[in-house]
Amino acid sequence: MSRTAHISRNTHETQIDVVLDLDGGDIEIATGVGFFDHMLHHVAKHGRLGLKVVAQGDTHIDDHHTVEDVGIALGEALVQALGDKHGIERYGHAVVPMDEALARCALDLSGRPHLVFRIDFVPTDTQGAALTGQSIGRFDLQLVREFMQALTNHARMNLHVEAPYGDNNHHLAEAAFKALGRALRQAVAVTGDGVPSTKGVL
């Protein structure tokens, strides 16, 4: 049975097209935000997902709308591709090291959205600045959480992402996205005969 989805989201700020295959396929990512493309490729590669994302957004303002709206569209694609969730594992978890950094991800495709996000990115100035305004290249690190929140809300899942330690912001972010991909791979796997809930529905 095909477990695919095609979501188009068009607003005054962004035009997003997402094609998702839970059972694998080609990966093509082009959002206009280079670091974000790199992170989404990790989710798909380590999640063994077929994923095509094409986005155009108001990046002349900043990358916020594009990143958030891709999270929304990808969450909607997950819901569509999962259907009634018959036979899926439902839960997934992963621990991923990236050099000196470590990230952990646990998720439940429960139908009840809730995000716990605990990554303290490393201040990049000598004064110990707060997260606001920090970036990897031009990519605002606040957008890592914004993507995770949008994905959580629209995939209607319970998502916990944390990085207990790490000294390099690229490593921290990359480990988190890889862990998300690996946890998704586990959660969407078909391993049973019915809906994995005592309620009978998810």
Side-chain angles (χ1 to χ4, degrees):
M1 182 175 66
S2 175
R3 300 197 300 159
T4 62
H6 184 184
I7 298 293
S8 292
R9 175 180 172 82
N10 296 296
T11 74
H12 293 305
E13 298 166 340
T14 61
Q15 295 78 50
I16 313 288
D17 198 68
V18 172
V19 178
L20 174 67
D21 189 332
L22 298 180
D23 298 309
D26 294 336
I27 302 171
E28 298 176 16
I29 313 289
T31 69
V33 182
F35 182 77
F36 187 45
D37 289 357
H38 184 45
M39 296 299 103
L40 290 176
H41 196 275
H42 283 306
V43 173
K45 184 69 173 181
H46 293 278
R48 296 182 184 169
L49 305 170
L51 181 62
K52 298 181 181 181
V53 180
V54 177
Q56 292 184 324
D58 53 0
T59 54
H60 61 286
I61 297 174
D62 68 9
D63 299 332
H64 187 116
H65 297 143
T66 298
V67 172
E68 182 178 34
D69 284 7
V70 168
I72 290 170
L74 182 56
E76 291 175 349
L78 275 167
V79 170
Q80 187 179 106
L82 285 166
D84 65 3
K85 302 179 184 176
H86 186 91
I88 65 165
E89 184 65 16
R90 174 179 168 177
Y91 295 97
H93 62 89
V95 180
V96 172
M98 178 74 183
D99 294 347
E100 86 300 337
L102 186 81
R104 297 190 285 246
C105 177
L107 62 87
D108 175 11
L109 299 172
S110 62
R112 300 185 305 277
H114 188 86
L115 174 68
V116 176
F117 184 90
R118 294 179 179 169
I119 301 177
D120 293 322
F121 288 107
V122 180
T124 54
D125 75 330
T126 58
Q127 305 302 314
L131 175 59
T132 302
Q134 289 181 299
S135 62
I136 297 172
R138 75 170 211 184
F139 186 83
D140 185 348
L141 285 170
Q142 294 180 99
L143 298 182
V144 175
R145 183 184 185 122
E146 290 300 319
F147 169 77
M148 298 289 185
Q149 186 68 71
L151 178 68
T152 296
N153 289 347
H154 292 269
R156 301 198 290 273
M157 67 180 173
N158 182 201
L159 176 63
H160 294 239
V161 183
E162 64 176 347
Y165 52 82
D167 299 324
N168 181 289
N169 286 332
H170 190 128
H171 295 167
L172 287 164
E174 186 168 322
F177 278 87
K178 286 178 175 177
L180 172 61
R182 292 183 66 85
L184 275 172
R185 183 177 85 192
Q186 189 178 89
V188 304
V190 177
T191 59
D193 295 326
V195 175
S197 171
T198 54
K199 298 179 179 69
V201 295
L202 284 172

